[in-house]
Amino acid sequence: MLDKNGIAKRIAKEVKDGYYVNLGIGIPTMVANFVRDDISVEFQSENGVLGMGPFPFEGEEDADIINAGKQTITTMPGASFFDSVTSFAMIRGQHVDLTILGAMEVSDKGDIANWKIPGKMVKGMGGAMDLVASAENIIVAMMHTNRAGESKLLKECTLPLTGVGCVKKIVTNLAVLEVTTDGFKLLERAPGVSVEAIENATNGRLIIEGDIPEMKL
Amino acid sequence: MIRKTVENVQEALKGVKDGMTLMLGGFGLCGIPENTISELVRLGVTDLCCISNNAGVDDFGLGLLLQKKQIRKMISSYVGENDEFERQMLSGELEVELTPQGTLAEKCRAAQAGFPAFYTPAGFGTEVALGKETREFNGKMYVLEEAFKADFSFVKAWKGDEAGNLIFKGTARNFNPCMCGAANITVAEVEELLPAGSLDPNDIHVPGIFVQRIFQGEKYEKRIEQRTVRPRN
């Protein structure tokens, strides 16, 4: 089974040379730590920066330079700042190659819910609805089950949707899955996790074809 | 040169009344019009509808107006860091219209640029699209979103000149440029107000035509919401 760093490490392998990548809050932010340093990648943050770098050294924080998680950041050589309209032109106009974000639920048709629990938690969708509605390539990073042990990979989402039929790939603490027209296709198992364990933790339609390899990290 | 300078924040906010719709720039606490918010608290105007990406934190930014119950309605994309906000919203005291962030920005820009509405894919198939016109273009579904209408737009820039030209710094730019000229009156507060001619016309982010009043803010706290650092080796 993977921890959050492990999930981020596995997703980092999906980041290819020449990609502009938008990282969501939480596990997705950690992906940047594991991207190979022999490829050229630029990270976009929807509050208005392309070419985001690591956190600043202590004492070098600048209140005017943050990411969408409101964390202080630095910029890389070649970075640029822009306004929110331009930022979402990059996203809506499909100039960003890969979007990685978290989710509360994903359905076997690729629907995603991650912004609201009616009556309990309302944080808002931020840029997530724009991102999932436009991105060609969306990877969800999440735990396979919630704190109550219930599957987050469902036949239908029960929470208010963020987007419809948009998720392409999911990386959880247990598995890598692809969303196909017939449901979740199991691609890889996390180290030490059996196919049965993944079946038990998955509520939506699950396709298992042949031997399922263990992830290489 | 058409002068846009006003003496102080009091003069800049002349005409702000109860029940008005206000746009406020900023992302989190980054690039918010701090001096304007303080003055809105002092004026005690109520029943406000505020269009702003976030709602500040409990004791800073728009959170200050929420504490005083001056806001009737918020139009935002993300409100996660404010307990008082969540309390007022869940209890029904505060009306909240959550809008996808890119749609929020574009609704400002549409108002600025004279478009009554636009189609966006964001929110299709979700509760955001309920009651809204949808249409298919090239096999993909889109939602019709209308331009905002607001009485005042309050933005914050790094540098500005007497002509109302603005330059922003870092990610403090965010929603500020698209809110300029998107309301009946746009008020810009700047860290440094310079004589006309001091700024290179090549460097201007927002031309002064979109700004009616400009003033230099007295002080900027520039609070950091999530101070994140890495160790030096």
Side-chain angles (χ1 to χ4, degrees), chain A residues 104-146:
Chain A
M104 297 174 189
E105 294 176 349
V106 177
S107 84
D108 63 21
K109 288 164 282 296
D111 300 345
I112 175 172
N114 71 354
W115 69 285
K116 184 178 183 182
I117 304 172
K120 269 194 196 160
M121 186 286 287
V122 188
K123 292 193 183 300
M125 66 291 279
M129 283 196 183
D130 308 89
L131 282 157
V132 301
S134 298
E136 289 284 348
N137 197 357
I138 300 172
I139 300 177
V140 165
M142 65 177 191
M143 303 308 274
H144 211 97
T145 54
N146 64 21

Side-chain angles (χ1 to χ4, degrees), chain B residues 138-206:
Chain B
N138 303 316
K140 186 169 171 157
M141 293 304 294
Y142 295 82
V143 183
L144 187 68
E145 293 281 1
E146 292 184 17
F148 282 129
K149 283 189 178 66
D151 298 293
F152 275 87
S153 184
F154 295 114
V155 303
K156 188 258 163 183
W158 178 38
K159 290 178 184 175
D161 68 14
E162 295 169 293
N165 296 307
L166 304 177
I167 296 176
F168 301 89
K169 178 169 162 269
T171 54
R173 195 180 320 185
N174 55 63
F175 283 83
N176 287 298
C178 67
M179 288 181 173
C180 291
N184 292 338
I185 297 175
T186 297
V187 177
E189 61 172 85
V190 296
E191 287 178 54
E192 197 179 353
L193 184 59
L194 298 158
S198 318
L199 299 174
D200 185 336
N202 283 303
D203 296 338
I204 304 298
H205 293 141
V206 171

Side-chain angles (χ1 to χ4, degrees), chain A residues 55-56 58 61-64 66 70-72 81 83-84 88 92 116 122-126 130 133 161, chain B residues 54 77-79 81 98 100-103 121 127 140 169 171 173-175 222 226-230 232:
Chain A
F55 296 141
E58 194 164 357
E61 314 91 284
D62 184 340
D64 289 329
I66 63 167
K70 288 112 179 174
Q71 296 170 311
T72 43
F81 296 119
D83 65 280
S84 301
F88 282 91
R92 209 184 298 104
K116 184 178 183 182
V122 188
K123 292 193 183 300
M125 66 291 279
D130 308 89
L161 294 180
Chain B
N54 313 89
S77 86
Y78 189 83
V79 293
E81 281 85 16
L98 287 166
Q101 198 172 118
T103 300
E127 62 181 57
K140 186 169 171 157
K169 178 169 162 269
T171 54
R173 195 180 320 185
N174 55 63
F175 283 83
K222 290 202 187 180
Q226 305 283 341
R227 188 179 298 274
T228 43
V229 294
R230 73 187 138 131
R232 290 174 196 269

Side-chain angles (χ1 to χ4, degrees), chain B residues 39-101:
Chain B
E39 180 62 11
L40 288 169
V41 172
R42 201 193 63 81
L43 284 171
V45 283
T46 59
D47 196 29
L48 300 172
C49 171
C50 292
I51 300 167
S52 177
N53 187 55
N54 313 89
V57 294
D58 280 314
D59 62 346
F60 200 59
L62 285 181
L64 297 171
L65 289 172
L66 285 164
Q67 269 184 17
K68 296 267 169 88
K69 309 253 171 78
Q70 289 174 264
I71 303 176
R72 169 183 49 87
K73 180 179 180 179
M74 278 296 313
I75 302 176
S76 304
S77 86
Y78 189 83
V79 293
E81 281 85 16
N82 193 318
D83 293 338
E84 175 62 12
F85 183 101
E86 197 159 16
R87 192 197 64 72
Q88 289 186 23
M89 174 168 59
L90 293 173
S91 71
E93 288 167 63
L94 178 71
E95 193 186 334
V96 179
E97 191 176 311
L98 287 166
T99 302
Q101 198 172 118

